[in-house]
Each structure stands twice: as C-alpha cells, then as structure tokens.
Amino acid sequence: MADRPMDMIRLDFDNLMAPGLSGGVEADEFAGGMAEAFGRAHAHVEAQRATGVLGFLDLPYAQESGQQAQKLADGFAQWFEDVVVLGIGGSGLGAKAVRDALLGPYWNDRSADGRDEYPRLHVIDNPDPDTMLGLLQRVDVAKTLFNVVSKSGATAETMAQYLVVRDAVERAVGAEHARGHFLFTTDPVGGALRRIGDAEGIPMLAVPPNVGGRFSVLSAVGVFPAAVCGIDTGELLAGAAAMAERCRSGRLAENPAGVLATLLHDAERAQGRSVHVLMPYSDRLRSVALWFQQLWAESLGKAKNLDGVLTPTGPTPVPALGASDQHSFLQLMMEGPDDKVVLFIEVEDHGPDAVIPKRHPEMSEFAYLGGHSLGELMNTERRATAEALRQQGRPNATLYVPRITPATLGQLFMLWQIATVYAGALYRVDPLDQPGVELSKKLTYGLMGRVGAPRPAMREPDPRWRI
Ligand code: PA5
C-alpha cells in the first residue's frame, strides 16, 4: 500500500481580514506595506540563520543526535516502568506537549499491555514538594528512570529536584546502582550536570549550543521522552521539516509563519490588540497552548529593542481551551476590552469518536444532539465561536489540524517557532534571549546562600499594608 501523503496544517485568517471582519486588515494593506515589512523580517531571519544562531531550524535534519536519543529510548530506557522528566520552562513544556498530544489522556493510567509495554511518562517541572513527594510515592523508584533536563545544568529548580530524587534512588537501590537510574540532557560540553555525568558515567544527550530552551522541543529534550513511549520521532521531525520548507518563502501570502507573525504584530501595534489567545479545541493540544505561551512571552517580552533603546515591548499570550473556556473566557473575549486576537486550533478528525445516542426525542433541550458525535460538537462549537467573534468585530483565525499525529505536531511546533523569530524581527527585539529572568534568579541565589551570591537587601514590607 502506498504511503499516505503527510497531513498538512492549514491556516484560515479570513476573520482577521476586511471585509469579512469589520475593521479588519484590507487586502491592499496585506499585499502592500505588510508584505514589505515581512520581506524585511524574512531577510533579517535569513541573515540570522546564516550566522548559525537559529539552531532549531536544523533540528529536523540532525540525524545523529536523533538516532542517539532513539537508541537510548529503545534500549536501556525500556527496562523501566516509569520515566520521569525533570526540567522547567523550555526544558519541560515541550515534553509535556508531546506527551499530552500524542499519548493522549490517561496514558499513565493504562496497564502495561494498554501501553504496548512502554513506560509511563511523567514531566515534573515545578519543584513543588506536594508534587515531588506525591510522585515518589506513586512510582517504584527502583524501576524508574529520571531524565534530568537542563541546558545550563545549573537551574535551581531542576537541580533541587535532582538532588531530592538522587537521594530517593540511592535509598531504594543503593548508592552504587543509583547512576543507572539517570539520563541527563544538557549542554554538550559545559555545566555542572555534564560534569556530574562525566564523573559518574551517566548516559547523556546533548542540547546543541545554538538551540535555546524554548526552541528545543525537537532536540533530545522532546525527542527522547517521545521515543521512550514509542512515538514515531522520525515522523515528528519530518513534519517539522515540511513546515520549515513551507515557511522558507519571503512572500507573505505563501508563508504561514509569516502571516501569523505579521498579523499578530499588526494587531498589537496598529490595533492595540495585545492579548494573543491560543485556543485549541482539543484536550490533547492544551499543553501545546502552554508551550506557546512560554515561547511567545519569553521571546517577545523585552525591555530593549535591537538598537539597545528602552522600549518595553511584547504581546501577552494566553492559553485557553475549547470548548471548556466558552464557559469561562468567552464572555470577556466577546464583550470585554477589544484587545484580543483569538487563534483557534481545530482538529478535523479526532480519530475514534463518541457518537451521541438518540435518547429522549421528546426533550427539545437535547434531542438535537442525538446522532452527532462529541468530536462534531467540539468542531461545531469552534466554528460557532469564531463566527460569533467575527460578528462582534473581534478578530480571530484558525489553524486546521487534519489529525493529531507526530507529523502534524511537528508542523505546529515548527510553525510557531518560526513565527516567533519573524515576530522578533518585526518587533525589532532579540527573541533568543531572556535577560529579564536574571534578577529574580540572582536574588534567589543570595537568599538560598549560594557561594559568591551576596545576600540581597530585601525591603521589609510596610506593616500598614498587611491585614
Ligand atoms: O527558554 C528558555 O531558555 C528557558 O525557559 C529555559 O528553558 C529554562 O530556564 C530552563 O533552563 P535550563 O534548561 O538551563 O535548565
């Protein structure tokens, strides 16, 4: 049987454009000034790419590192019943997005048989004692692999988790066997984690130096956790490569990442619509919206522009979930301040679907539901919500995902990552750095007593303002 051609994601941005949307972007503006601005952003990104700083664009083709992750996932990792990823920010959100999208809800609740004998997969990003102690009670530590993910190898939250877990593993299996329960994903050369790994002979995977945390989902950071549960990572990377090709064009109308970046930038800058809501109508894609939130916020929220001039910049990304948030956030989106753009994701084919039985034909309140399916209801509600927003003059667009597969997820990841670097060029900020997170880290080091970090003078709160 011939291979099925790859499902491709489509972007429908009609509800951002005039005349469909009252006050929407005019066609000649799109083809004129916006296309020119995008052309400049595209040239900027191509120049950056030539210098080698946009390493995430090469990840779909990085065969050697992909194979290394796959080999470890297929080999020693299959000895374990549970795999726990410890990593925060870009070192945790991608793995969560992959797990939730491709393994679906309740993976960890299935029997080993129901998981085709693959391990359960946990991603613990927050050093919250409740979660950590709960995890250590839930898993059999002696049969668990801990994948510690930290590019810098120094992040306080992840290192603290590692130390807690290391102790638990040593208690369970003895100090001499503990190292066999770890896999580190970190910088290829430097950092404390790599030093520990080198000293103890712990297996390690590398995050390329030119791939930043929030752009690392297609490196070993996301590929190992995917592969360990039997996800076809070749397909994930092939999907990402296909999207990278589609987004190579300097012509705005042909480049989906360019369209997203350009229209979202314009919505914020020219229309005051600074809240960018990503709202998948799929529980599986909820974590993709959380991943997007970090990518968009940490990349575009910057104090200084590329010339070093102080111009605090950045849209506010908000993750939402359809249909649930129609009963929570939609009222605000419809009638609250007109400062939002909503980006829906519709999954066209949800796979096995639940048909709604025809019962109570006498009850007009819900008789109409009978014979339809839950997937159909989700997609109809997405359509109705987009139209309701349009009628209210509220801009929105939809990404159509034919089915949730490794290939379409790879496309989604690549689409948003490329849109982010285009948006960085349009905003004229560096999307690859995050200087704003340093101060709170420094204060934490000082307060926790790190050697060389001065204890900060913290202002005592004014007692008048405490009740
Ligand atoms: O996107 C980023 O660079 C950050 O969110 C990092 O991923 C996060 O701070 C974790 O860093 P590290 O992987 O060094 O532990």
Side-chain angles (χ1 to χ4, degrees), residues 87-93 149-159 185 207 212-216 294 298 432 434 437 441:
I88 198 163
S91 290
L93 287 161
V149 184
S150 176
K151 186 178 179 206
S152 61
T155 300
E157 295 89 339
T158 308
M159 292 305 109
T185 305
V207 189
R214 57 192 174 275
F215 293 91
S216 68
Q294 188 229 3
E298 208 166 62
L432 307 178
Q434 56 283 326
V437 304
K441 276 192 199 171

PDB file of all heavy atoms in Angstrom, residues 87-93 149-159 185 207 212-216 294 298 432 434 437 441, ligand 1:
ATOM      1  N   GLY A  87      12.546  19.004  34.461  1.00  0.00           N
ATOM      2  CA  GLY A  87      13.036  20.144  33.670  1.00  0.00           C
ATOM      3  C   GLY A  87      11.984  21.236  33.707  1.00  0.00           C
ATOM      4  O   GLY A  87      10.784  20.934  33.801  1.00  0.00           O
ATOM      5  N   ILE A  88      12.416  22.453  33.591  1.00  0.00           N
ATOM      6  CA  ILE A  88      11.476  23.574  33.746  1.00  0.00           C
ATOM      7  C   ILE A  88      11.557  24.495  32.526  1.00  0.00           C
ATOM      8  O   ILE A  88      12.568  24.491  31.809  1.00  0.00           O
ATOM      9  CB  ILE A  88      11.777  24.333  35.076  1.00  0.00           C
ATOM     10  CG1 ILE A  88      10.587  25.204  35.503  1.00  0.00           C
ATOM     11  CG2 ILE A  88      13.055  25.151  34.975  1.00  0.00           C
ATOM     12  CD1 ILE A  88      10.645  25.635  36.973  1.00  0.00           C
ATOM     13  N   GLY A  89      10.513  25.276  32.295  1.00  0.00           N
ATOM     14  CA  GLY A  89      10.493  26.187  31.144  1.00  0.00           C
ATOM     15  C   GLY A  89      10.622  25.384  29.862  1.00  0.00           C
ATOM     16  O   GLY A  89       9.964  24.356  29.678  1.00  0.00           O
ATOM     17  N   GLY A  90      11.535  25.830  29.009  1.00  0.00           N
ATOM     18  CA  GLY A  90      11.728  25.136  27.743  1.00  0.00           C
ATOM     19  C   GLY A  90      12.223  23.713  27.910  1.00  0.00           C
ATOM     20  O   GLY A  90      12.169  22.918  26.975  1.00  0.00           O
ATOM     21  N   SER A  91      12.689  23.367  29.084  1.00  0.00           N
ATOM     22  CA  SER A  91      13.181  22.005  29.301  1.00  0.00           C
ATOM     23  C   SER A  91      12.093  21.057  29.801  1.00  0.00           C
ATOM     24  O   SER A  91      12.372  19.888  30.051  1.00  0.00           O
ATOM     25  CB  SER A  91      14.360  22.029  30.286  1.00  0.00           C
ATOM     26  OG  SER A  91      15.475  22.627  29.659  1.00  0.00           O
ATOM     27  N   GLY A  92      10.881  21.569  29.972  1.00  0.00           N
ATOM     28  CA  GLY A  92       9.790  20.695  30.419  1.00  0.00           C
ATOM     29  C   GLY A  92       8.533  20.820  29.574  1.00  0.00           C
ATOM     30  O   GLY A  92       7.835  19.835  29.320  1.00  0.00           O
ATOM     31  N   LEU A  93       8.253  22.038  29.107  1.00  0.00           N
ATOM     32  CA  LEU A  93       6.960  22.271  28.438  1.00  0.00           C
ATOM     33  C   LEU A  93       6.817  21.503  27.124  1.00  0.00           C
ATOM     34  O   LEU A  93       5.720  21.063  26.760  1.00  0.00           O
ATOM     35  CB  LEU A  93       6.776  23.776  28.183  1.00  0.00           C
ATOM     36  CG  LEU A  93       6.468  24.580  29.457  1.00  0.00           C
ATOM     37  CD1 LEU A  93       6.761  26.059  29.242  1.00  0.00           C
ATOM     38  CD2 LEU A  93       5.025  24.382  29.888  1.00  0.00           C
ATOM     39  N   VAL A 149      16.703  17.268  32.699  1.00  0.00           N
ATOM     40  CA  VAL A 149      16.888  18.093  31.507  1.00  0.00           C
ATOM     41  C   VAL A 149      17.199  19.527  31.924  1.00  0.00           C
ATOM     42  O   VAL A 149      16.367  20.221  32.514  1.00  0.00           O
ATOM     43  CB  VAL A 149      15.612  18.076  30.628  1.00  0.00           C
ATOM     44  CG1 VAL A 149      15.851  18.870  29.347  1.00  0.00           C
ATOM     45  CG2 VAL A 149      15.195  16.656  30.303  1.00  0.00           C
ATOM     46  N   SER A 150      18.405  19.955  31.645  1.00  0.00           N
ATOM     47  CA  SER A 150      18.764  21.343  31.917  1.00  0.00           C
ATOM     48  C   SER A 150      19.912  21.716  30.995  1.00  0.00           C
ATOM     49  O   SER A 150      21.003  21.154  31.107  1.00  0.00           O
ATOM     50  CB  SER A 150      19.190  21.524  33.377  1.00  0.00           C
ATOM     51  OG  SER A 150      19.626  22.856  33.579  1.00  0.00           O
ATOM     52  N   LYS A 151      19.625  22.626  30.087  1.00  0.00           N
ATOM     53  CA  LYS A 151      20.673  23.001  29.142  1.00  0.00           C
ATOM     54  C   LYS A 151      21.861  23.616  29.875  1.00  0.00           C
ATOM     55  O   LYS A 151      23.007  23.265  29.652  1.00  0.00           O
ATOM     56  CB  LYS A 151      20.123  23.972  28.107  1.00  0.00           C
ATOM     57  CG  LYS A 151      21.164  24.242  27.050  1.00  0.00           C
ATOM     58  CD  LYS A 151      20.707  25.154  25.972  1.00  0.00           C
ATOM     59  CE  LYS A 151      21.882  25.326  25.015  1.00  0.00           C
ATOM     60  NZ  LYS A 151      21.842  26.571  24.302  1.00  0.00           N
ATOM     61  N   SER A 152      21.561  24.523  30.801  1.00  0.00           N
ATOM     62  CA  SER A 152      22.647  25.184  31.537  1.00  0.00           C
ATOM     63  C   SER A 152      23.268  24.237  32.561  1.00  0.00           C
ATOM     64  O   SER A 152      24.408  24.408  32.965  1.00  0.00           O
ATOM     65  CB  SER A 152      22.106  26.413  32.265  1.00  0.00           C
ATOM     66  OG  SER A 152      21.118  26.009  33.202  1.00  0.00           O
ATOM     67  N   GLY A 153      22.486  23.272  33.002  1.00  0.00           N
ATOM     68  CA  GLY A 153      22.969  22.359  34.041  1.00  0.00           C
ATOM     69  C   GLY A 153      23.076  23.048  35.384  1.00  0.00           C
ATOM     70  O   GLY A 153      23.787  22.573  36.278  1.00  0.00           O
ATOM     71  N   ALA A 154      22.346  24.129  35.557  1.00  0.00           N
ATOM     72  CA  ALA A 154      22.501  24.894  36.804  1.00  0.00           C
ATOM     73  C   ALA A 154      21.177  25.452  37.318  1.00  0.00           C
ATOM     74  O   ALA A 154      21.172  26.147  38.324  1.00  0.00           O
ATOM     75  CB  ALA A 154      23.465  26.064  36.551  1.00  0.00           C
ATOM     76  N   THR A 155      20.085  25.156  36.666  1.00  0.00           N
ATOM     77  CA  THR A 155      18.809  25.762  37.057  1.00  0.00           C
ATOM     78  C   THR A 155      18.385  25.266  38.439  1.00  0.00           C
ATOM     79  O   THR A 155      18.290  24.046  38.677  1.00  0.00           O
ATOM     80  CB  THR A 155      17.742  25.440  35.987  1.00  0.00           C
ATOM     81  OG1 THR A 155      18.214  25.993  34.758  1.00  0.00           O
ATOM     82  CG2 THR A 155      16.393  26.013  36.323  1.00  0.00           C
ATOM     83  N   ALA A 156      18.130  26.220  39.346  1.00  0.00           N
ATOM     84  CA  ALA A 156      17.899  25.878  40.756  1.00  0.00           C
ATOM     85  C   ALA A 156      16.775  24.857  40.913  1.00  0.00           C
ATOM     86  O   ALA A 156      16.934  23.858  41.638  1.00  0.00           O
ATOM     87  CB  ALA A 156      17.562  27.153  41.531  1.00  0.00           C
ATOM     88  N   GLU A 157      15.672  25.076  40.233  1.00  0.00           N
ATOM     89  CA  GLU A 157      14.507  24.200  40.423  1.00  0.00           C
ATOM     90  C   GLU A 157      14.842  22.757  40.018  1.00  0.00           C
ATOM     91  O   GLU A 157      14.529  21.800  40.734  1.00  0.00           O
ATOM     92  CB  GLU A 157      13.318  24.690  39.584  1.00  0.00           C
ATOM     93  CG  GLU A 157      12.772  26.058  39.981  1.00  0.00           C
ATOM     94  CD  GLU A 157      13.460  27.216  39.256  1.00  0.00           C
ATOM     95  OE1 GLU A 157      14.597  27.034  38.748  1.00  0.00           O
ATOM     96  OE2 GLU A 157      12.868  28.314  39.207  1.00  0.00           O
ATOM     97  N   THR A 158      15.479  22.626  38.862  1.00  0.00           N
ATOM     98  CA  THR A 158      15.760  21.285  38.342  1.00  0.00           C
ATOM     99  C   THR A 158      16.860  20.603  39.164  1.00  0.00           C
ATOM    100  O   THR A 158      16.789  19.397  39.444  1.00  0.00           O
ATOM    101  CB  THR A 158      16.177  21.383  36.852  1.00  0.00           C
ATOM    102  OG1 THR A 158      15.183  22.142  36.182  1.00  0.00           O
ATOM    103  CG2 THR A 158      16.316  20.033  36.218  1.00  0.00           C
ATOM    104  N   MET A 159      17.868  21.387  39.558  1.00  0.00           N
ATOM    105  CA  MET A 159      18.955  20.785  40.339  1.00  0.00           C
ATOM    106  C   MET A 159      18.442  20.350  41.712  1.00  0.00           C
ATOM    107  O   MET A 159      18.832  19.290  42.226  1.00  0.00           O
ATOM    108  CB  MET A 159      20.115  21.779  40.494  1.00  0.00           C
ATOM    109  CG  MET A 159      20.837  22.084  39.206  1.00  0.00           C
ATOM    110  SD  MET A 159      21.428  20.576  38.378  1.00  0.00           S
ATOM    111  CE  MET A 159      20.334  20.518  37.024  1.00  0.00           C
ATOM    112  N   THR A 185      20.090  15.342  30.017  1.00  0.00           N
ATOM    113  CA  THR A 185      20.018  16.043  28.728  1.00  0.00           C
ATOM    114  C   THR A 185      20.505  17.455  29.006  1.00  0.00           C
ATOM    115  O   THR A 185      19.857  18.194  29.765  1.00  0.00           O
ATOM    116  CB  THR A 185      18.571  16.039  28.182  1.00  0.00           C
ATOM    117  OG1 THR A 185      18.116  14.682  28.118  1.00  0.00           O
ATOM    118  CG2 THR A 185      18.505  16.673  26.800  1.00  0.00           C
ATOM    119  N   VAL A 207      21.954  19.106  24.154  1.00  0.00           N
ATOM    120  CA  VAL A 207      21.152  20.169  23.545  1.00  0.00           C
ATOM    121  C   VAL A 207      22.170  21.039  22.799  1.00  0.00           C
ATOM    122  O   VAL A 207      23.088  21.577  23.420  1.00  0.00           O
ATOM    123  CB  VAL A 207      20.448  21.036  24.610  1.00  0.00           C
ATOM    124  CG1 VAL A 207      19.457  21.986  23.942  1.00  0.00           C
ATOM    125  CG2 VAL A 207      19.771  20.196  25.667  1.00  0.00           C
ATOM    126  N   GLY A 212      18.154  27.339  21.974  1.00  0.00           N
ATOM    127  CA  GLY A 212      17.737  27.825  23.293  1.00  0.00           C
ATOM    128  C   GLY A 212      16.623  26.955  23.851  1.00  0.00           C
ATOM    129  O   GLY A 212      15.935  26.245  23.104  1.00  0.00           O
ATOM    130  N   GLY A 213      16.424  27.033  25.159  1.00  0.00           N
ATOM    131  CA  GLY A 213      15.458  26.166  25.846  1.00  0.00           C
ATOM    132  C   GLY A 213      14.098  26.108  25.171  1.00  0.00           C
ATOM    133  O   GLY A 213      13.585  25.035  24.860  1.00  0.00           O
ATOM    134  N   ARG A 214      13.497  27.280  24.918  1.00  0.00           N
ATOM    135  CA  ARG A 214      12.125  27.259  24.395  1.00  0.00           C
ATOM    136  C   ARG A 214      12.052  26.909  22.920  1.00  0.00           C
ATOM    137  O   ARG A 214      10.954  26.788  22.374  1.00  0.00           O
ATOM    138  CB  ARG A 214      11.443  28.597  24.692  1.00  0.00           C
ATOM    139  CG  ARG A 214      12.142  29.810  24.145  1.00  0.00           C
ATOM    140  CD  ARG A 214      11.568  31.092  24.730  1.00  0.00           C
ATOM    141  NE  ARG A 214      12.330  32.248  24.312  1.00  0.00           N
ATOM    142  CZ  ARG A 214      13.429  32.694  24.901  1.00  0.00           C
ATOM    143  NH1 ARG A 214      13.906  32.072  25.967  1.00  0.00           N
ATOM    144  NH2 ARG A 214      14.058  33.752  24.458  1.00  0.00           N
ATOM    145  N   PHE A 215      13.214  26.741  22.297  1.00  0.00           N
ATOM    146  CA  PHE A 215      13.261  26.290  20.898  1.00  0.00           C
ATOM    147  C   PHE A 215      13.791  24.848  20.807  1.00  0.00           C
ATOM    148  O   PHE A 215      14.260  24.433  19.752  1.00  0.00           O
ATOM    149  CB  PHE A 215      14.153  27.230  20.075  1.00  0.00           C
ATOM    150  CG  PHE A 215      13.590  28.635  19.919  1.00  0.00           C
ATOM    151  CD1 PHE A 215      13.896  29.636  20.832  1.00  0.00           C
ATOM    152  CD2 PHE A 215      12.738  28.934  18.866  1.00  0.00           C
ATOM    153  CE1 PHE A 215      13.371  30.923  20.695  1.00  0.00           C
ATOM    154  CE2 PHE A 215      12.207  30.216  18.715  1.00  0.00           C
ATOM    155  CZ  PHE A 215      12.522  31.213  19.630  1.00  0.00           C
ATOM    156  N   SER A 216      13.764  24.131  21.945  1.00  0.00           N
ATOM    157  CA  SER A 216      14.493  22.856  21.970  1.00  0.00           C
ATOM    158  C   SER A 216      13.602  21.617  21.888  1.00  0.00           C
ATOM    159  O   SER A 216      14.096  20.499  22.005  1.00  0.00           O
ATOM    160  CB  SER A 216      15.347  22.770  23.244  1.00  0.00           C
ATOM    161  OG  SER A 216      14.512  22.655  24.383  1.00  0.00           O
ATOM    162  N   GLN A 294       4.849  30.166  26.700  1.00  0.00           N
ATOM    163  CA  GLN A 294       6.231  30.451  27.092  1.00  0.00           C
ATOM    164  C   GLN A 294       7.036  30.982  25.912  1.00  0.00           C
ATOM    165  O   GLN A 294       7.788  31.947  26.024  1.00  0.00           O
ATOM    166  CB  GLN A 294       6.905  29.180  27.634  1.00  0.00           C
ATOM    167  CG  GLN A 294       8.277  29.463  28.223  1.00  0.00           C
ATOM    168  CD  GLN A 294       9.375  28.536  27.736  1.00  0.00           C
ATOM    169  OE1 GLN A 294       9.171  27.671  26.898  1.00  0.00           O
ATOM    170  NE2 GLN A 294      10.557  28.716  28.286  1.00  0.00           N
ATOM    171  N   GLU A 298       8.377  34.711  26.488  1.00  0.00           N
ATOM    172  CA  GLU A 298       9.787  34.875  26.835  1.00  0.00           C
ATOM    173  C   GLU A 298      10.584  35.388  25.637  1.00  0.00           C
ATOM    174  O   GLU A 298      11.618  36.037  25.796  1.00  0.00           O
ATOM    175  CB  GLU A 298      10.356  33.528  27.323  1.00  0.00           C
ATOM    176  CG  GLU A 298      11.511  33.703  28.301  1.00  0.00           C
ATOM    177  CD  GLU A 298      11.865  32.434  29.060  1.00  0.00           C
ATOM    178  OE1 GLU A 298      12.252  31.435  28.429  1.00  0.00           O
ATOM    179  OE2 GLU A 298      11.755  32.437  30.291  1.00  0.00           O
ATOM    180  N   LEU A 432      15.771  35.470  21.162  1.00  0.00           N
ATOM    181  CA  LEU A 432      16.525  34.313  21.658  1.00  0.00           C
ATOM    182  C   LEU A 432      17.050  34.490  23.082  1.00  0.00           C
ATOM    183  O   LEU A 432      17.572  33.551  23.667  1.00  0.00           O
ATOM    184  CB  LEU A 432      17.700  34.010  20.715  1.00  0.00           C
ATOM    185  CG  LEU A 432      17.344  33.839  19.234  1.00  0.00           C
ATOM    186  CD1 LEU A 432      18.600  33.592  18.395  1.00  0.00           C
ATOM    187  CD2 LEU A 432      16.360  32.693  19.029  1.00  0.00           C
ATOM    188  N   GLN A 434      16.697  36.165  27.259  1.00  0.00           N
ATOM    189  CA  GLN A 434      15.697  36.361  28.310  1.00  0.00           C
ATOM    190  C   GLN A 434      16.342  37.060  29.501  1.00  0.00           C
ATOM    191  O   GLN A 434      16.355  36.538  30.615  1.00  0.00           O
ATOM    192  CB  GLN A 434      15.016  35.049  28.722  1.00  0.00           C
ATOM    193  CG  GLN A 434      15.902  33.889  29.183  1.00  0.00           C
ATOM    194  CD  GLN A 434      16.577  33.177  28.053  1.00  0.00           C
ATOM    195  OE1 GLN A 434      16.034  33.049  26.952  1.00  0.00           O
ATOM    196  NE2 GLN A 434      17.796  32.734  28.289  1.00  0.00           N
ATOM    197  N   VAL A 437      14.839  37.481  33.265  1.00  0.00           N
ATOM    198  CA  VAL A 437      14.642  36.472  34.311  1.00  0.00           C
ATOM    199  C   VAL A 437      15.837  36.408  35.275  1.00  0.00           C
ATOM    200  O   VAL A 437      15.790  35.710  36.282  1.00  0.00           O
ATOM    201  CB  VAL A 437      14.365  35.062  33.719  1.00  0.00           C
ATOM    202  CG1 VAL A 437      13.164  35.087  32.784  1.00  0.00           C
ATOM    203  CG2 VAL A 437      15.582  34.514  32.989  1.00  0.00           C
ATOM    204  N   LYS A 441      16.533  35.305  39.674  1.00  0.00           N
ATOM    205  CA  LYS A 441      17.448  34.178  39.927  1.00  0.00           C
ATOM    206  C   LYS A 441      18.534  34.604  40.908  1.00  0.00           C
ATOM    207  O   LYS A 441      18.864  33.889  41.848  1.00  0.00           O
ATOM    208  CB  LYS A 441      18.129  33.759  38.623  1.00  0.00           C
ATOM    209  CG  LYS A 441      17.341  32.816  37.769  1.00  0.00           C
ATOM    210  CD  LYS A 441      18.264  32.279  36.673  1.00  0.00           C
ATOM    211  CE  LYS A 441      17.466  31.713  35.531  1.00  0.00           C
ATOM    212  NZ  LYS A 441      18.282  31.386  34.367  1.00  0.00           N
TER     213      LYS A 441
HETATM  214  O1  PA5 B   1      13.582  29.096  27.158  1.00  0.00           O
HETATM  215  C1  PA5 B   1      14.468  29.161  27.981  1.00  0.00           C
HETATM  216  O2  PA5 B   1      15.654  29.401  27.677  1.00  0.00           O
HETATM  217  C2  PA5 B   1      14.180  28.922  29.441  1.00  0.00           C
HETATM  218  O3  PA5 B   1      12.805  28.830  29.682  1.00  0.00           O
HETATM  219  C3  PA5 B   1      14.858  27.638  29.914  1.00  0.00           C
HETATM  220  O4  PA5 B   1      14.379  26.554  29.168  1.00  0.00           O
HETATM  221  C4  PA5 B   1      14.612  27.386  31.403  1.00  0.00           C
HETATM  222  O5  PA5 B   1      15.016  28.496  32.142  1.00  0.00           O
HETATM  223  C5  PA5 B   1      15.365  26.148  31.865  1.00  0.00           C
HETATM  224  O6  PA5 B   1      16.733  26.299  31.612  1.00  0.00           O
HETATM  225  P1  PA5 B   1      17.722  25.082  31.667  1.00  0.00           P
HETATM  226  O7  PA5 B   1      17.398  24.160  30.556  1.00  0.00           O
HETATM  227  O8  PA5 B   1      19.068  25.691  31.517  1.00  0.00           O
HETATM  228  O9  PA5 B   1      17.543  24.420  32.998  1.00  0.00           O
END
